[in-house]
Amino acid sequence: MRWIAKFVFLLCGLSVASVGQKTATVQGVPETIGAGEVLDLTVKVDEAPDFDGANVIINMEGQPGKFSISGGCILPKGETRCNFQWRIPPDAASGTWSVDTLTFSSGMQRHDLVFSKIPFQVIARSHLTIPKSAQVVINPSQIQVLRREVY
């Protein structure tokens, strides 16, 4: 019975040591950003991957619970930083948004990264010009294609 307890303890110790707590920081988050502007972030992880094909998945939440967007950046072998750019939708409402979660993807597996949630304020645009109608015109190359099919 004693050897089972030692084996379980050893097994638990190995799993904790092998998993470890992976951390990340996010830089470049402004206090305020306007709707339609580009959010340009740098994500820094605590350890560089020793393989190609790694990604950091960034999840942002807008107006808590109303909007969520995920994107990502490639984390090359041996690098600890990657850049992520995303345009805030031009019709976004004012409110508090945040960089909500970071996940490291090794391809088939995902690992949550520990970091501090970063809030920022989005300022809505006062006016958007949106088209109200459209006209479709067939260009000559399409006409030629249609003629060939008819004859």
Side-chain angles (χ1 to χ4, degrees):
M1 184 71 141
R2 182 181 246 168
W3 69 270
I4 292 175
K6 285 182 181 180
F7 179 73
V8 169
F9 180 76
L10 179 63
L11 198 63
C12 290
L14 286 175
S15 66
V16 169
S18 65
V19 173
Q21 199 79 336
K22 301 299 179 187
T23 62
T25 57
V26 179
Q27 301 168 333
V29 180
E31 274 188 39
T32 60
I33 188 167
E37 294 179 4
V38 175
L39 183 65
D40 189 359
L41 306 176
T42 299
V43 177
K44 183 179 184 295
V45 296
D46 61 348
E47 291 184 67
D50 62 353
F51 58 91
D52 289 320
N55 294 286
V56 175
I57 301 163
I58 298 129
N59 187 56
M60 289 181 286
E61 186 177 68
Q63 301 126 6
K66 292 186 179 179
F67 182 82
S68 182
I69 182 74
S70 290
C73 53
I74 295 169
L75 191 59
K77 178 181 178 179
E79 297 290 325
T80 57
R81 294 176 188 262
C82 64
N83 293 328
F84 173 72
Q85 293 184 334
W86 181 69
R87 183 173 304 280
I88 303 292
D91 56 352
S94 292
T96 302
W97 291 39
S98 66
V99 178
D100 196 47
T101 57
L102 294 177
T103 306
F104 177 82
S105 172
S106 57
M108 297 300 291
Q109 297 182 14
R110 292 183 175 192
H111 310 274
D112 290 337
L113 296 170
V114 176
F115 82 108
S116 297
K117 220 182 227 190
I118 305 172
F120 58 96
Q121 294 295 313
V122 171
I123 301 169
R125 293 181 59 167
S126 60
H127 177 72
L128 286 177
T129 302
I130 298 173
K132 293 167 188 59
S133 64
Q135 181 181 20
V136 178
V137 178
I138 298 176
N139 61 40
S141 63
Q142 288 176 328
I143 292 171
Q144 292 169 354
V145 170
L146 292 174
R147 272 194 204 129
R148 281 189 213 131
E149 289 181 3
V150 170
Y151 296 109

mmCIF file with all atom_site columns, all heavy atoms in Angstrom, residues 23-27 42-50 54 56 73-83 102 104 113:
data_model
loop_
_atom_site.group_PDB
_atom_site.id
_atom_site.type_symbol
_atom_site.label_atom_id
_atom_site.label_alt_id
_atom_site.label_comp_id
_atom_site.label_asym_id
_atom_site.label_entity_id
_atom_site.label_seq_id
_atom_site.pdbx_PDB_ins_code
_atom_site.Cartn_x
_atom_site.Cartn_y
_atom_site.Cartn_z
_atom_site.occupancy
_atom_site.B_iso_or_equiv
_atom_site.pdbx_formal_charge
_atom_site.auth_seq_id
_atom_site.auth_comp_id
_atom_site.auth_asym_id
_atom_site.auth_atom_id
_atom_site.pdbx_PDB_model_num
ATOM 1   N N   . THR A 1 23  ? 2.827  31.587 -19.014 1.00 0.00 ? 23  THR A N   1
ATOM 2   C CA  . THR A 1 23  ? 2.338  32.953 -18.876 1.00 0.00 ? 23  THR A CA  1
ATOM 3   C C   . THR A 1 23  ? 2.614  33.763 -20.129 1.00 0.00 ? 23  THR A C   1
ATOM 4   O O   . THR A 1 23  ? 3.451  33.400 -20.957 1.00 0.00 ? 23  THR A O   1
ATOM 5   C CB  . THR A 1 23  ? 2.989  33.661 -17.673 1.00 0.00 ? 23  THR A CB  1
ATOM 6   O OG1 . THR A 1 23  ? 4.397  33.735 -17.900 1.00 0.00 ? 23  THR A OG1 1
ATOM 7   C CG2 . THR A 1 23  ? 2.712  32.929 -16.378 1.00 0.00 ? 23  THR A CG2 1
ATOM 8   N N   . ALA A 1 24  ? 1.888  34.866 -20.236 1.00 0.00 ? 24  ALA A N   1
ATOM 9   C CA  . ALA A 1 24  ? 2.051  35.766 -21.374 1.00 0.00 ? 24  ALA A CA  1
ATOM 10  C C   . ALA A 1 24  ? 1.745  37.188 -20.923 1.00 0.00 ? 24  ALA A C   1
ATOM 11  O O   . ALA A 1 24  ? 1.077  37.411 -19.920 1.00 0.00 ? 24  ALA A O   1
ATOM 12  C CB  . ALA A 1 24  ? 1.110  35.369 -22.503 1.00 0.00 ? 24  ALA A CB  1
ATOM 13  N N   . THR A 1 25  ? 2.252  38.144 -21.673 1.00 0.00 ? 25  THR A N   1
ATOM 14  C CA  . THR A 1 25  ? 1.907  39.546 -21.474 1.00 0.00 ? 25  THR A CA  1
ATOM 15  C C   . THR A 1 25  ? 1.472  40.113 -22.817 1.00 0.00 ? 25  THR A C   1
ATOM 16  O O   . THR A 1 25  ? 1.881  39.629 -23.874 1.00 0.00 ? 25  THR A O   1
ATOM 17  C CB  . THR A 1 25  ? 3.095  40.376 -20.930 1.00 0.00 ? 25  THR A CB  1
ATOM 18  O OG1 . THR A 1 25  ? 4.195  40.242 -21.837 1.00 0.00 ? 25  THR A OG1 1
ATOM 19  C CG2 . THR A 1 25  ? 3.515  39.920 -19.552 1.00 0.00 ? 25  THR A CG2 1
ATOM 20  N N   . VAL A 1 26  ? 0.628  41.124 -22.759 1.00 0.00 ? 26  VAL A N   1
ATOM 21  C CA  . VAL A 1 26  ? 0.151  41.797 -23.964 1.00 0.00 ? 26  VAL A CA  1
ATOM 22  C C   . VAL A 1 26  ? 0.565  43.259 -23.863 1.00 0.00 ? 26  VAL A C   1
ATOM 23  O O   . VAL A 1 26  ? 0.338  43.902 -22.839 1.00 0.00 ? 26  VAL A O   1
ATOM 24  C CB  . VAL A 1 26  ? -1.385 41.692 -24.106 1.00 0.00 ? 26  VAL A CB  1
ATOM 25  C CG1 . VAL A 1 26  ? -1.865 42.418 -25.344 1.00 0.00 ? 26  VAL A CG1 1
ATOM 26  C CG2 . VAL A 1 26  ? -1.807 40.235 -24.143 1.00 0.00 ? 26  VAL A CG2 1
ATOM 27  N N   . GLN A 1 27  ? 1.183  43.757 -24.925 1.00 0.00 ? 27  GLN A N   1
ATOM 28  C CA  . GLN A 1 27  ? 1.636  45.147 -24.955 1.00 0.00 ? 27  GLN A CA  1
ATOM 29  C C   . GLN A 1 27  ? 0.962  45.869 -26.107 1.00 0.00 ? 27  GLN A C   1
ATOM 30  O O   . GLN A 1 27  ? 0.609  45.257 -27.114 1.00 0.00 ? 27  GLN A O   1
ATOM 31  C CB  . GLN A 1 27  ? 3.157  45.199 -25.139 1.00 0.00 ? 27  GLN A CB  1
ATOM 32  C CG  . GLN A 1 27  ? 3.913  44.495 -24.041 1.00 0.00 ? 27  GLN A CG  1
ATOM 33  C CD  . GLN A 1 27  ? 5.376  44.297 -24.383 1.00 0.00 ? 27  GLN A CD  1
ATOM 34  O OE1 . GLN A 1 27  ? 5.749  44.213 -25.538 1.00 0.00 ? 27  GLN A OE1 1
ATOM 35  N NE2 . GLN A 1 27  ? 6.200  44.221 -23.352 1.00 0.00 ? 27  GLN A NE2 1
ATOM 36  N N   . THR A 1 42  ? 1.177  43.372 -29.261 1.00 0.00 ? 42  THR A N   1
ATOM 37  C CA  . THR A 1 42  ? 2.306  42.453 -29.216 1.00 0.00 ? 42  THR A CA  1
ATOM 38  C C   . THR A 1 42  ? 2.071  41.504 -28.061 1.00 0.00 ? 42  THR A C   1
ATOM 39  O O   . THR A 1 42  ? 1.811  41.939 -26.937 1.00 0.00 ? 42  THR A O   1
ATOM 40  C CB  . THR A 1 42  ? 3.640  43.201 -29.014 1.00 0.00 ? 42  THR A CB  1
ATOM 41  O OG1 . THR A 1 42  ? 3.840  44.094 -30.102 1.00 0.00 ? 42  THR A OG1 1
ATOM 42  C CG2 . THR A 1 42  ? 4.808  42.230 -28.939 1.00 0.00 ? 42  THR A CG2 1
ATOM 43  N N   . VAL A 1 43  ? 2.124  40.207 -28.344 1.00 0.00 ? 43  VAL A N   1
ATOM 44  C CA  . VAL A 1 43  ? 1.968  39.184 -27.311 1.00 0.00 ? 43  VAL A CA  1
ATOM 45  C C   . VAL A 1 43  ? 3.342  38.594 -27.042 1.00 0.00 ? 43  VAL A C   1
ATOM 46  O O   . VAL A 1 43  ? 4.054  38.218 -27.970 1.00 0.00 ? 43  VAL A O   1
ATOM 47  C CB  . VAL A 1 43  ? 0.998  38.068 -27.762 1.00 0.00 ? 43  VAL A CB  1
ATOM 48  C CG1 . VAL A 1 43  ? 0.899  36.988 -26.703 1.00 0.00 ? 43  VAL A CG1 1
ATOM 49  C CG2 . VAL A 1 43  ? -0.370 38.641 -28.087 1.00 0.00 ? 43  VAL A CG2 1
ATOM 50  N N   . LYS A 1 44  ? 3.715  38.544 -25.751 1.00 0.00 ? 44  LYS A N   1
ATOM 51  C CA  . LYS A 1 44  ? 4.998  37.971 -25.355 1.00 0.00 ? 44  LYS A CA  1
ATOM 52  C C   . LYS A 1 44  ? 4.720  36.796 -24.425 1.00 0.00 ? 44  LYS A C   1
ATOM 53  O O   . LYS A 1 44  ? 4.027  36.943 -23.429 1.00 0.00 ? 44  LYS A O   1
ATOM 54  C CB  . LYS A 1 44  ? 5.858  39.012 -24.637 1.00 0.00 ? 44  LYS A CB  1
ATOM 55  C CG  . LYS A 1 44  ? 7.233  38.491 -24.271 1.00 0.00 ? 44  LYS A CG  1
ATOM 56  C CD  . LYS A 1 44  ? 8.056  39.578 -23.592 1.00 0.00 ? 44  LYS A CD  1
ATOM 57  C CE  . LYS A 1 44  ? 9.456  39.112 -23.311 1.00 0.00 ? 44  LYS A CE  1
ATOM 58  N NZ  . LYS A 1 44  ? 9.582  38.030 -22.376 1.00 0.00 ? 44  LYS A NZ  1
ATOM 59  N N   . VAL A 1 45  ? 5.260  35.618 -24.780 1.00 0.00 ? 45  VAL A N   1
ATOM 60  C CA  . VAL A 1 45  ? 5.107  34.418 -23.961 1.00 0.00 ? 45  VAL A CA  1
ATOM 61  C C   . VAL A 1 45  ? 6.380  34.176 -23.159 1.00 0.00 ? 45  VAL A C   1
ATOM 62  O O   . VAL A 1 45  ? 7.443  34.697 -23.488 1.00 0.00 ? 45  VAL A O   1
ATOM 63  C CB  . VAL A 1 45  ? 4.755  33.175 -24.820 1.00 0.00 ? 45  VAL A CB  1
ATOM 64  C CG1 . VAL A 1 45  ? 3.398  33.361 -25.484 1.00 0.00 ? 45  VAL A CG1 1
ATOM 65  C CG2 . VAL A 1 45  ? 5.821  32.899 -25.860 1.00 0.00 ? 45  VAL A CG2 1
ATOM 66  N N   . ASP A 1 46  ? 6.263  33.376 -22.102 1.00 0.00 ? 46  ASP A N   1
ATOM 67  C CA  . ASP A 1 46  ? 7.402  33.149 -21.216 1.00 0.00 ? 46  ASP A CA  1
ATOM 68  C C   . ASP A 1 46  ? 8.450  32.203 -21.792 1.00 0.00 ? 46  ASP A C   1
ATOM 69  O O   . ASP A 1 46  ? 9.609  32.267 -21.405 1.00 0.00 ? 46  ASP A O   1
ATOM 70  C CB  . ASP A 1 46  ? 6.936  32.673 -19.840 1.00 0.00 ? 46  ASP A CB  1
ATOM 71  C CG  . ASP A 1 46  ? 6.175  31.361 -19.889 1.00 0.00 ? 46  ASP A CG  1
ATOM 72  O OD1 . ASP A 1 46  ? 5.803  30.918 -20.989 1.00 0.00 ? 46  ASP A OD1 1
ATOM 73  O OD2 . ASP A 1 46  ? 5.929  30.772 -18.812 1.00 0.00 ? 46  ASP A OD2 1
ATOM 74  N N   . GLU A 1 47  ? 8.056  31.322 -22.723 1.00 0.00 ? 47  GLU A N   1
ATOM 75  C CA  . GLU A 1 47  ? 9.010  30.389 -23.327 1.00 0.00 ? 47  GLU A CA  1
ATOM 76  C C   . GLU A 1 47  ? 8.771  30.298 -24.820 1.00 0.00 ? 47  GLU A C   1
ATOM 77  O O   . GLU A 1 47  ? 7.625  30.240 -25.267 1.00 0.00 ? 47  GLU A O   1
ATOM 78  C CB  . GLU A 1 47  ? 8.847  28.984 -22.737 1.00 0.00 ? 47  GLU A CB  1
ATOM 79  C CG  . GLU A 1 47  ? 9.276  28.851 -21.299 1.00 0.00 ? 47  GLU A CG  1
ATOM 80  C CD  . GLU A 1 47  ? 9.175  27.413 -20.827 1.00 0.00 ? 47  GLU A CD  1
ATOM 81  O OE1 . GLU A 1 47  ? 9.947  26.579 -21.335 1.00 0.00 ? 47  GLU A OE1 1
ATOM 82  O OE2 . GLU A 1 47  ? 8.325  27.143 -19.979 1.00 0.00 ? 47  GLU A OE2 1
ATOM 83  N N   . ALA A 1 48  ? 9.841  30.265 -25.595 1.00 0.00 ? 48  ALA A N   1
ATOM 84  C CA  . ALA A 1 48  ? 9.735  30.129 -27.050 1.00 0.00 ? 48  ALA A CA  1
ATOM 85  C C   . ALA A 1 48  ? 9.467  28.671 -27.410 1.00 0.00 ? 48  ALA A C   1
ATOM 86  O O   . ALA A 1 48  ? 10.069 27.766 -26.822 1.00 0.00 ? 48  ALA A O   1
ATOM 87  C CB  . ALA A 1 48  ? 11.026 30.587 -27.712 1.00 0.00 ? 48  ALA A CB  1
ATOM 88  N N   . PRO A 1 49  ? 8.583  28.424 -28.377 1.00 0.00 ? 49  PRO A N   1
ATOM 89  C CA  . PRO A 1 49  ? 8.377  27.042 -28.820 1.00 0.00 ? 49  PRO A CA  1
ATOM 90  C C   . PRO A 1 49  ? 9.623  26.534 -29.543 1.00 0.00 ? 49  PRO A C   1
ATOM 91  O O   . PRO A 1 49  ? 10.338 27.305 -30.179 1.00 0.00 ? 49  PRO A O   1
ATOM 92  C CB  . PRO A 1 49  ? 7.183  27.142 -29.762 1.00 0.00 ? 49  PRO A CB  1
ATOM 93  C CG  . PRO A 1 49  ? 7.181  28.552 -30.234 1.00 0.00 ? 49  PRO A CG  1
ATOM 94  C CD  . PRO A 1 49  ? 7.758  29.377 -29.128 1.00 0.00 ? 49  PRO A CD  1
ATOM 95  N N   . ASP A 1 50  ? 9.866  25.232 -29.460 1.00 0.00 ? 50  ASP A N   1
ATOM 96  C CA  . ASP A 1 50  ? 11.020 24.642 -30.151 1.00 0.00 ? 50  ASP A CA  1
ATOM 97  C C   . ASP A 1 50  ? 10.578 23.933 -31.433 1.00 0.00 ? 50  ASP A C   1
ATOM 98  O O   . ASP A 1 50  ? 11.200 22.980 -31.869 1.00 0.00 ? 50  ASP A O   1
ATOM 99  C CB  . ASP A 1 50  ? 11.793 23.699 -29.224 1.00 0.00 ? 50  ASP A CB  1
ATOM 100 C CG  . ASP A 1 50  ? 10.961 22.520 -28.758 1.00 0.00 ? 50  ASP A CG  1
ATOM 101 O OD1 . ASP A 1 50  ? 9.734  22.489 -29.051 1.00 0.00 ? 50  ASP A OD1 1
ATOM 102 O OD2 . ASP A 1 50  ? 11.532 21.631 -28.098 1.00 0.00 ? 50  ASP A OD2 1
ATOM 103 N N   . ALA A 1 54  ? 3.387  27.034 -34.375 1.00 0.00 ? 54  ALA A N   1
ATOM 104 C CA  . ALA A 1 54  ? 2.682  27.459 -33.163 1.00 0.00 ? 54  ALA A CA  1
ATOM 105 C C   . ALA A 1 54  ? 1.923  28.756 -33.415 1.00 0.00 ? 54  ALA A C   1
ATOM 106 O O   . ALA A 1 54  ? 2.323  29.578 -34.246 1.00 0.00 ? 54  ALA A O   1
ATOM 107 C CB  . ALA A 1 54  ? 3.666  27.657 -32.016 1.00 0.00 ? 54  ALA A CB  1
ATOM 108 N N   . VAL A 1 56  ? -0.662 31.869 -31.264 1.00 0.00 ? 56  VAL A N   1
ATOM 109 C CA  . VAL A 1 56  ? -1.300 32.400 -30.070 1.00 0.00 ? 56  VAL A CA  1
ATOM 110 C C   . VAL A 1 56  ? -2.667 32.891 -30.512 1.00 0.00 ? 56  VAL A C   1
ATOM 111 O O   . VAL A 1 56  ? -2.785 33.677 -31.453 1.00 0.00 ? 56  VAL A O   1
ATOM 112 C CB  . VAL A 1 56  ? -0.494 33.541 -29.427 1.00 0.00 ? 56  VAL A CB  1
ATOM 113 C CG1 . VAL A 1 56  ? -1.259 34.144 -28.254 1.00 0.00 ? 56  VAL A CG1 1
ATOM 114 C CG2 . VAL A 1 56  ? 0.872  33.044 -28.963 1.00 0.00 ? 56  VAL A CG2 1
ATOM 115 N N   . CYS A 1 73  ? -1.932 35.119 -33.963 1.00 0.00 ? 73  CYS A N   1
ATOM 116 C CA  . CYS A 1 73  ? -0.659 35.439 -34.605 1.00 0.00 ? 73  CYS A CA  1
ATOM 117 C C   . CYS A 1 73  ? 0.230  34.198 -34.547 1.00 0.00 ? 73  CYS A C   1
ATOM 118 O O   . CYS A 1 73  ? 0.102  33.362 -33.658 1.00 0.00 ? 73  CYS A O   1
ATOM 119 C CB  . CYS A 1 73  ? 0.008  36.641 -33.946 1.00 0.00 ? 73  CYS A CB  1
ATOM 120 S SG  . CYS A 1 73  ? 0.219  36.562 -32.161 1.00 0.00 ? 73  CYS A SG  1
ATOM 121 N N   . ILE A 1 74  ? 1.086  34.102 -35.535 1.00 0.00 ? 74  ILE A N   1
ATOM 122 C CA  . ILE A 1 74  ? 2.011  32.969 -35.628 1.00 0.00 ? 74  ILE A CA  1
ATOM 123 C C   . ILE A 1 74  ? 3.186  33.229 -34.699 1.00 0.00 ? 74  ILE A C   1
ATOM 124 O O   . ILE A 1 74  ? 3.743  34.323 -34.677 1.00 0.00 ? 74  ILE A O   1
ATOM 125 C CB  . ILE A 1 74  ? 2.505  32.797 -37.079 1.00 0.00 ? 74  ILE A CB  1
ATOM 126 C CG1 . ILE A 1 74  ? 1.320  32.427 -37.973 1.00 0.00 ? 74  ILE A CG1 1
ATOM 127 C CG2 . ILE A 1 74  ? 3.608  31.756 -37.159 1.00 0.00 ? 74  ILE A CG2 1
ATOM 128 C CD1 . ILE A 1 74  ? 1.632  32.483 -39.453 1.00 0.00 ? 74  ILE A CD1 1
ATOM 129 N N   . LEU A 1 75  ? 3.546  32.224 -33.920 1.00 0.00 ? 75  LEU A N   1
ATOM 130 C CA  . LEU A 1 75  ? 4.701  32.310 -33.029 1.00 0.00 ? 75  LEU A CA  1
ATOM 131 C C   . LEU A 1 75  ? 5.787  31.404 -33.595 1.00 0.00 ? 75  LEU A C   1
ATOM 132 O O   . LEU A 1 75  ? 5.733  30.179 -33.426 1.00 0.00 ? 75  LEU A O   1
ATOM 133 C CB  . LEU A 1 75  ? 4.299  31.885 -31.620 1.00 0.00 ? 75  LEU A CB  1
ATOM 134 C CG  . LEU A 1 75  ? 5.303  32.149 -30.511 1.00 0.00 ? 75  LEU A CG  1
ATOM 135 C CD1 . LEU A 1 75  ? 5.632  33.634 -30.401 1.00 0.00 ? 75  LEU A CD1 1
ATOM 136 C CD2 . LEU A 1 75  ? 4.767  31.635 -29.188 1.00 0.00 ? 75  LEU A CD2 1
ATOM 137 N N   . PRO A 1 76  ? 6.747  31.998 -34.318 1.00 0.00 ? 76  PRO A N   1
ATOM 138 C CA  . PRO A 1 76  ? 7.780  31.169 -34.952 1.00 0.00 ? 76  PRO A CA  1
ATOM 139 C C   . PRO A 1 76  ? 8.662  30.430 -33.946 1.00 0.00 ? 76  PRO A C   1
ATOM 140 O O   . PRO A 1 76  ? 8.799  30.845 -32.793 1.00 0.00 ? 76  PRO A O   1
ATOM 141 C CB  . PRO A 1 76  ? 8.628  32.192 -35.728 1.00 0.00 ? 76  PRO A CB  1
ATOM 142 C CG  . PRO A 1 76  ? 7.771  33.407 -35.848 1.00 0.00 ? 76  PRO A CG  1
ATOM 143 C CD  . PRO A 1 76  ? 6.905  33.408 -34.630 1.00 0.00 ? 76  PRO A CD  1
ATOM 144 N N   . LYS A 1 77  ? 9.255  29.353 -34.404 1.00 0.00 ? 77  LYS A N   1
ATOM 145 C CA  . LYS A 1 77  ? 10.190 28.558 -33.599 1.00 0.00 ? 77  LYS A CA  1
ATOM 146 C C   . LYS A 1 77  ? 11.264 29.485 -33.022 1.00 0.00 ? 77  LYS A C   1
ATOM 147 O O   . LYS A 1 77  ? 11.836 30.309 -33.736 1.00 0.00 ? 77  LYS A O   1
ATOM 148 C CB  . LYS A 1 77  ? 10.831 27.493 -34.490 1.00 0.00 ? 77  LYS A CB  1
ATOM 149 C CG  . LYS A 1 77  ? 11.858 26.641 -33.789 1.00 0.00 ? 77  LYS A CG  1
ATOM 150 C CD  . LYS A 1 77  ? 12.445 25.626 -34.755 1.00 0.00 ? 77  LYS A CD  1
ATOM 151 C CE  . LYS A 1 77  ? 13.508 24.785 -34.120 1.00 0.00 ? 77  LYS A CE  1
ATOM 152 N NZ  . LYS A 1 77  ? 14.042 23.790 -35.052 1.00 0.00 ? 77  LYS A NZ  1
ATOM 153 N N   . GLY A 1 78  ? 11.492 29.368 -31.733 1.00 0.00 ? 78  GLY A N   1
ATOM 154 C CA  . GLY A 1 78  ? 12.548 30.142 -31.086 1.00 0.00 ? 78  GLY A CA  1
ATOM 155 C C   . GLY A 1 78  ? 12.178 31.579 -30.730 1.00 0.00 ? 78  GLY A C   1
ATOM 156 O O   . GLY A 1 78  ? 12.975 32.295 -30.144 1.00 0.00 ? 78  GLY A O   1
ATOM 157 N N   . GLU A 1 79  ? 10.977 32.004 -31.042 1.00 0.00 ? 79  GLU A N   1
ATOM 158 C CA  . GLU A 1 79  ? 10.548 33.384 -30.768 1.00 0.00 ? 79  GLU A CA  1
ATOM 159 C C   . GLU A 1 79  ? 9.601  33.413 -29.569 1.00 0.00 ? 79  GLU A C   1
ATOM 160 O O   . GLU A 1 79  ? 8.839  32.478 -29.344 1.00 0.00 ? 79  GLU A O   1
ATOM 161 C CB  . GLU A 1 79  ? 9.828  33.980 -31.977 1.00 0.00 ? 79  GLU A CB  1
ATOM 162 C CG  . GLU A 1 79  ? 10.690 34.105 -33.213 1.00 0.00 ? 79  GLU A CG  1
ATOM 163 C CD  . GLU A 1 79  ? 11.768 35.180 -33.076 1.00 0.00 ? 79  GLU A CD  1
ATOM 164 O OE1 . GLU A 1 79  ? 11.506 36.215 -32.419 1.00 0.00 ? 79  GLU A OE1 1
ATOM 165 O OE2 . GLU A 1 79  ? 12.862 34.980 -33.622 1.00 0.00 ? 79  GLU A OE2 1
ATOM 166 N N   . THR A 1 80  ? 9.627  34.524 -28.840 1.00 0.00 ? 80  THR A N   1
ATOM 167 C CA  . THR A 1 80  ? 8.725  34.689 -27.704 1.00 0.00 ? 80  THR A CA  1
ATOM 168 C C   . THR A 1 80  ? 7.696  35.793 -27.949 1.00 0.00 ? 80  THR A C   1
ATOM 169 O O   . THR A 1 80  ? 6.860  36.051 -27.089 1.00 0.00 ? 80  THR A O   1
ATOM 170 C CB  . THR A 1 80  ? 9.498  35.036 -26.416 1.00 0.00 ? 80  THR A CB  1
ATOM 171 O OG1 . THR A 1 80  ? 10.260 36.228 -26.643 1.00 0.00 ? 80  THR A OG1 1
ATOM 172 C CG2 . THR A 1 80  ? 10.400 33.893 -25.989 1.00 0.00 ? 80  THR A CG2 1
ATOM 173 N N   . ARG A 1 81  ? 7.747  36.436 -29.113 1.00 0.00 ? 81  ARG A N   1
ATOM 174 C CA  . ARG A 1 81  ? 6.814  37.526 -29.408 1.00 0.00 ? 81  ARG A CA  1
ATOM 175 C C   . ARG A 1 81  ? 6.132  37.321 -30.756 1.00 0.00 ? 81  ARG A C   1
ATOM 176 O O   . ARG A 1 81  ? 6.735  36.818 -31.693 1.00 0.00 ? 81  ARG A O   1
ATOM 177 C CB  . ARG A 1 81  ? 7.539  38.870 -29.479 1.00 0.00 ? 81  ARG A CB  1
ATOM 178 C CG  . ARG A 1 81  ? 8.127  39.336 -28.188 1.00 0.00 ? 81  ARG A CG  1
ATOM 179 C CD  . ARG A 1 81  ? 8.915  40.636 -28.404 1.00 0.00 ? 81  ARG A CD  1
ATOM 180 N NE  . ARG A 1 81  ? 9.622  40.995 -27.220 1.00 0.00 ? 81  ARG A NE  1
ATOM 181 C CZ  . ARG A 1 81  ? 9.192  41.882 -26.333 1.00 0.00 ? 81  ARG A CZ  1
ATOM 182 N NH1 . ARG A 1 81  ? 8.061  42.510 -26.550 1.00 0.00 ? 81  ARG A NH1 1
ATOM 183 N NH2 . ARG A 1 81  ? 9.881  42.141 -25.251 1.00 0.00 ? 81  ARG A NH2 1
ATOM 184 N N   . CYS A 1 82  ? 4.869  37.757 -30.805 1.00 0.00 ? 82  CYS A N   1
ATOM 185 C CA  . CYS A 1 82  ? 4.166  37.821 -32.080 1.00 0.00 ? 82  CYS A CA  1
ATOM 186 C C   . CYS A 1 82  ? 3.256  39.048 -32.070 1.00 0.00 ? 82  CYS A C   1
ATOM 187 O O   . CYS A 1 82  ? 2.892  39.546 -31.002 1.00 0.00 ? 82  CYS A O   1
ATOM 188 C CB  . CYS A 1 82  ? 3.385  36.546 -32.381 1.00 0.00 ? 82  CYS A CB  1
ATOM 189 S SG  . CYS A 1 82  ? 2.049  36.153 -31.254 1.00 0.00 ? 82  CYS A SG  1
ATOM 190 N N   . ASN A 1 83  ? 2.941  39.551 -33.255 1.00 0.00 ? 83  ASN A N   1
ATOM 191 C CA  . ASN A 1 83  ? 2.109  40.744 -33.387 1.00 0.00 ? 83  ASN A CA  1
ATOM 192 C C   . ASN A 1 83  ? 0.744  40.374 -33.928 1.00 0.00 ? 83  ASN A C   1
ATOM 193 O O   . ASN A 1 83  ? 0.625  39.493 -34.773 1.00 0.00 ? 83  ASN A O   1
ATOM 194 C CB  . ASN A 1 83  ? 2.766  41.770 -34.313 1.00 0.00 ? 83  ASN A CB  1
ATOM 195 C CG  . ASN A 1 83  ? 4.027  42.344 -33.709 1.00 0.00 ? 83  ASN A CG  1
ATOM 196 O OD1 . ASN A 1 83  ? 4.135  42.481 -32.501 1.00 0.00 ? 83  ASN A OD1 1
ATOM 197 N ND2 . ASN A 1 83  ? 4.978  42.660 -34.545 1.00 0.00 ? 83  ASN A ND2 1
ATOM 198 N N   . LEU A 1 102 ? -6.026 34.384 -23.780 1.00 0.00 ? 102 LEU A N   1
ATOM 199 C CA  . LEU A 1 102 ? -4.921 34.025 -24.674 1.00 0.00 ? 102 LEU A CA  1
ATOM 200 C C   . LEU A 1 102 ? -4.744 32.520 -24.592 1.00 0.00 ? 102 LEU A C   1
ATOM 201 O O   . LEU A 1 102 ? -4.738 31.939 -23.511 1.00 0.00 ? 102 LEU A O   1
ATOM 202 C CB  . LEU A 1 102 ? -3.613 34.696 -24.257 1.00 0.00 ? 102 LEU A CB  1
ATOM 203 C CG  . LEU A 1 102 ? -3.520 36.203 -24.351 1.00 0.00 ? 102 LEU A CG  1
ATOM 204 C CD1 . LEU A 1 102 ? -2.174 36.675 -23.818 1.00 0.00 ? 102 LEU A CD1 1
ATOM 205 C CD2 . LEU A 1 102 ? -3.705 36.666 -25.780 1.00 0.00 ? 102 LEU A CD2 1
ATOM 206 N N   . PHE A 1 104 ? -2.374 29.267 -26.301 1.00 0.00 ? 104 PHE A N   1
ATOM 207 C CA  . PHE A 1 104 ? -1.271 28.804 -27.131 1.00 0.00 ? 104 PHE A CA  1
ATOM 208 C C   . PHE A 1 104 ? -1.724 27.551 -27.865 1.00 0.00 ? 104 PHE A C   1
ATOM 209 O O   . PHE A 1 104 ? -2.250 26.627 -27.250 1.00 0.00 ? 104 PHE A O   1
ATOM 210 C CB  . PHE A 1 104 ? -0.044 28.489 -26.272 1.00 0.00 ? 104 PHE A CB  1
ATOM 211 C CG  . PHE A 1 104 ? 1.108  27.946 -27.057 1.00 0.00 ? 104 PHE A CG  1
ATOM 212 C CD1 . PHE A 1 104 ? 1.956  28.795 -27.734 1.00 0.00 ? 104 PHE A CD1 1
ATOM 213 C CD2 . PHE A 1 104 ? 1.329  26.580 -27.132 1.00 0.00 ? 104 PHE A CD2 1
ATOM 214 C CE1 . PHE A 1 104 ? 3.020  28.295 -28.475 1.00 0.00 ? 104 PHE A CE1 1
ATOM 215 C CE2 . PHE A 1 104 ? 2.382  26.067 -27.868 1.00 0.00 ? 104 PHE A CE2 1
ATOM 216 C CZ  . PHE A 1 104 ? 3.228  26.940 -28.539 1.00 0.00 ? 104 PHE A CZ  1
ATOM 217 N N   . LEU A 1 113 ? -3.100 30.454 -21.578 1.00 0.00 ? 113 LEU A N   1
ATOM 218 C CA  . LEU A 1 113 ? -1.967 31.197 -21.049 1.00 0.00 ? 113 LEU A CA  1
ATOM 219 C C   . LEU A 1 113 ? -2.469 32.107 -19.932 1.00 0.00 ? 113 LEU A C   1
ATOM 220 O O   . LEU A 1 113 ? -3.525 32.728 -20.049 1.00 0.00 ? 113 LEU A O   1
ATOM 221 C CB  . LEU A 1 113 ? -1.310 32.038 -22.148 1.00 0.00 ? 113 LEU A CB  1
ATOM 222 C CG  . LEU A 1 113 ? -0.683 31.248 -23.293 1.00 0.00 ? 113 LEU A CG  1
ATOM 223 C CD1 . LEU A 1 113 ? -0.278 32.166 -24.430 1.00 0.00 ? 113 LEU A CD1 1
ATOM 224 C CD2 . LEU A 1 113 ? 0.531  30.464 -22.792 1.00 0.00 ? 113 LEU A CD2 1
#
